[in-house]
Amino acid sequence: MPPRLVRLLSRVPARLRPVPSLRATFTVSFVAVACVVTVLVGILSYSAAARLVRVDQQTVFAEVVRDLRELVEQDRLGPVDFAPSDSGGPRDDLIRSGRTDVQVLGPEGQVLDKGDPALPVWAADRRVAGARFAGTVVEHGGVEVGGGRYRVATVALGGGRGAVQVAQEFSDTEDLLRELQQRTLLFVSGVVVSAGLFGWWLARRQTRRLVQLAGAAEDVARTGHLGIQVPVAGRDEVGRLGRSFDRMLVRLAQSEEDQRRLVQDAGHELRTPLTSLRTNISLLRRIDELPARVREELVDDLAQEARELTDLVNELVDLAAGQSSTEPAQRVQLADIAEDVAATARRRTGREIGVRVEGDTTVEGRAGALQRAVSNLVENAAKFDRTGTGAIEMVVARGPVRCGGDLVGLDEAGQGVGPEVVRVEVLDRGPGVADCDLERIFDRFYRAADARSLPGSGLGLSIVRAVAAAHGGTPFAFRRDGGGLVIGFTVRGTGD
């Protein structure tokens, strides 16, 4: 490309430069390959055909010359024997065998019987006509005679008696080959044009879904709307790409909806402690006017509300960052995590907490998130057992969760009950949960009516649900025989 043109193109804004489309690139590539293949096939075919025709003609002419030499060497023929005759003779045999022109020369090289057309006689031909030995030959190639091109061979009759000239026209063959060449070019051109049309049609067919998918992605980028319909037809790579893109949009939409609800719920839950804080802070302006007992209650109330607000903010941060944690997944033993949580809870609460392990509890997951989920279950059990004396038991086992013979902890598809599932159960002897609350205790900020007076943010069990979902499991809760509650979650095991 000329440098001046390159400089001019470089000055054109990027948004105005033509962008090569995948369809055009595919079409050009298809046409280029078809053109190269067709041209090569055409050239090779024409070259092979032309070579065969030319070699065949040369072979026929060589055989005619060889037969003529054998004839004059064996039969001692003279010029008169090659004169035209109605009864046939050597002349007619030569003409028929090779479609050749025959001309007879005398001893001095003079023309005794002209050919049709008459052939030129050179000095070499005259020497051959006066040659002593029969079969002496001289050949000429590419002789112009009567507007045509001929191969000419002069064969001596021997004894200085003259010679016979035979000629084969090859200009008509070359004309035929030129016509074949033109037809080959026309055929190649037709194939290239057809390949271009077919390539364009095929490119449109193959890239139509890609164009639709690109349009959907551009619409999402422009509008921010994640509910755009994505083409997902077909089972090939494009279809798989469309389905993956559609699932990605669904996940993004769900994540966006979860974030929106989290912000709304958090805003709602933060209003109460913030309002209470503002009220108490306003009382601090008159703290000197308040009795000592009231001042102490006010300070204690502020400290309690500050702690609850801190806990709420921490829970919100953990819940919001839980699914996007950068902690790497690794093989961990849920039994070891349960033992660590139990030891910590014993020190904090002074409660009796037992751990029972059944089977292999190896899972693939994030240890920090799993520890937080187990800790939330134990803290929940300790908080709601108001007597402070009831034993808390943890069970970490491989296998499905059963309640009265029925399987629990299933996902929406009824999965999660295979032998590869590892479950964590926390059993307490607290007051339990009403049936109407069992289905909602894992919702964000949900608190049962009899638990609203207790401290807490209402996010602990929702974190348990989020951790379980991130590890391919589900949470569960049901009443315990004899009073209390069984609450826990499942995790997808390693399958070992």
Side-chain angles (χ1 to χ4, degrees):
M1 185 178 294
R4 183 178 180 184
L5 182 57
V6 173
R7 289 195 299 270
L8 289 175
L9 289 176
S10 64
R11 297 173 184 172
V12 178
R15 59 186 179 84
L16 298 180
R17 297 176 191 171
V19 179
S21 65
L22 180 62
R23 181 179 300 171
T25 303
F26 183 86
T27 303
V28 171
S29 301
F30 188 87
V31 172
V33 172
C35 182
V36 171
V37 172
T38 306
V39 169
L40 287 177
V41 171
I43 291 175
L44 294 176
S45 300
Y46 171 77
S47 299
R51 182 174 179 275
L52 289 174
V53 171
R54 292 186 178 115
V55 169
D56 181 67
Q57 280 204 329
Q58 291 176 355
T59 301
V60 170
F61 185 69
E63 291 177 354
V64 170
V65 174
R66 185 180 66 248
D67 292 343
L68 178 59
R69 291 182 64 190
E70 293 176 354
L71 185 63
V72 299
E73 288 174 353
Q74 294 175 3
D75 297 339
R76 304 289 295 177
L77 300 178
V80 69
D81 295 318
F82 290 92
S85 174
D86 295 336
S87 59
R91 181 189 183 99
D92 294 335
D93 292 339
L94 290 173
I95 294 174
R96 285 196 300 269
S97 62
R99 300 189 302 277
T100 57
D101 185 19
V102 178
Q103 182 171 275
V104 182
L105 303 180
E108 302 297 330
Q110 71 277 19
V111 178
L112 299 180
D113 187 3
K114 292 183 179 181
D116 184 20
L119 302 176
V121 180
W122 290 276
D125 299 323
R126 295 187 182 93
R127 287 195 297 270
V128 169
R132 179 180 177 183
F133 299 101
T136 303
V137 179
V138 62
E139 294 187 9
H140 309 280
V143 179
E144 291 283 348
V145 180
R149 296 179 65 82
Y150 287 77
R151 297 182 184 91
V152 180
T154 303
V155 180
L157 296 176
R161 292 178 296 131
V164 176
Q165 287 185 305
V166 290
Q168 181 190 57
E169 184 179 9
F170 62 84
S171 58
D172 56 347
T173 302
E174 294 300 325
D175 293 338
L176 177 62
L177 292 177
R178 279 194 294 272
E179 183 178 356
L180 177 61
Q181 185 181 42
Q182 293 174 357
R183 293 191 178 186
T184 302
L185 291 175
L186 290 176
F187 173 75
V188 169
S189 302
V191 169
V192 171
V193 172
S194 300
L197 295 176
F198 179 74
W200 178 253
W201 174 82
L202 185 63
R204 289 190 60 186
R205 181 180 177 84
Q206 294 297 324
T207 60
R208 182 175 61 250
R209 288 176 296 162
L210 284 176
V211 172
Q212 294 173 349
L213 189 59
E218 291 172 354
D219 290 341
V220 171
R222 185 180 65 255
T223 64
H225 180 55
L226 300 177
I228 293 177
Q229 184 69 28
V230 179
V232 294
R235 297 184 177 181
D236 54 4
E237 288 79 1
V238 179
R240 290 166 52 194
L241 177 62
R243 284 188 288 274
S244 299
F245 187 70
D246 188 60
R247 287 194 294 268
M248 180 187 69
L249 289 182
V250 171
R251 293 285 298 274
L252 288 175
Q254 182 63 42
S255 177
E256 186 180 60
E257 176 63 19
D258 291 343
Q259 291 179 0
R260 185 186 63 80
R261 288 195 298 107
L262 177 62
V263 171
Q264 290 178 347
D265 294 343
H268 176 75
E269 293 296 323
L270 286 171
R271 288 191 186 97
T272 300
L274 288 177
T275 301
S276 178
L277 281 174
R278 284 197 300 268
T279 302
N280 290 331
I281 290 173
S282 65
L283 291 175
L284 289 177
R285 300 178 185 275
R286 300 185 295 110
I287 192 169
D288 294 336
E289 303 174 6
L290 300 177
R293 184 178 59 80
V294 176
R295 287 200 300 268
E296 291 178 2
E297 292 178 355
L298 177 60
V299 172
D300 292 339
D301 194 21
L302 283 172
Q304 177 66 26
E305 289 173 352
R307 285 193 297 270
E308 291 185 4
L309 185 60
T310 301
D311 293 339
L312 177 59
V313 172
N314 290 335
E315 296 281 3
L316 285 172
V317 172
D318 290 338
L319 185 62
Q323 295 182 348
S324 60
S325 175
T326 57
E327 180 185 5
Q330 55 186 343
R331 293 170 69 93
V332 297
Q333 287 286 343
L334 267 182
D336 295 342
I337 293 177
E339 292 284 0
D340 294 341
V341 170
T344 302
R346 292 190 194 103
R347 291 194 302 269
R348 289 179 177 176
T349 64
R351 302 286 293 273
E352 179 184 351
I353 301 175
V355 179
R356 187 172 78 248
V357 180
E358 300 176 1
D360 181 20
T361 62
T362 304
V363 298
E364 189 83 13
R366 300 197 296 269
L370 292 171
Q371 185 171 9
R372 182 59 187 273
V374 176
S375 178
N376 285 357
L377 292 177
V378 175
E379 291 176 1
N380 185 77
K383 179 175 64 175
F384 282 97
D385 184 3
R386 301 169 189 173
T387 63
T389 58
I392 298 174
E393 182 181 1
M394 272 196 294
V395 178
V396 185
R398 178 176 287 266
V401 186
R402 294 186 179 274
C403 174
D406 297 329
L407 294 174
V408 297
L410 309 183
D411 59 13
E412 294 180 355
Q415 302 298 317
V417 297
E420 75 281 359
V421 171
V422 178
R423 70 182 186 274
V424 178
E425 302 177 8
V426 175
L427 301 85
D428 62 50
R429 287 300 181 183
V433 178
D435 292 337
C436 59
D437 294 326
L438 279 176
E439 297 296 329
R440 301 187 59 190
I441 60 175
F442 293 101
D443 293 345
R444 294 173 182 170
F445 303 108
Y446 181 78
R447 306 182 71 183
D450 57 352
R452 291 172 185 168
S453 59
L454 297 177
S457 63
L459 290 174
L461 295 184
S462 64
I463 292 178
V464 173
R465 182 176 64 180
V467 171
H471 290 78
T474 56
F476 59 87
F478 53 89
R479 290 177 175 274
R480 185 182 181 188
D481 294 339
L485 189 68
V486 178
I487 188 169
F489 63 93
T490 60
V491 179
R492 184 174 55 248
T494 58
D496 296 338

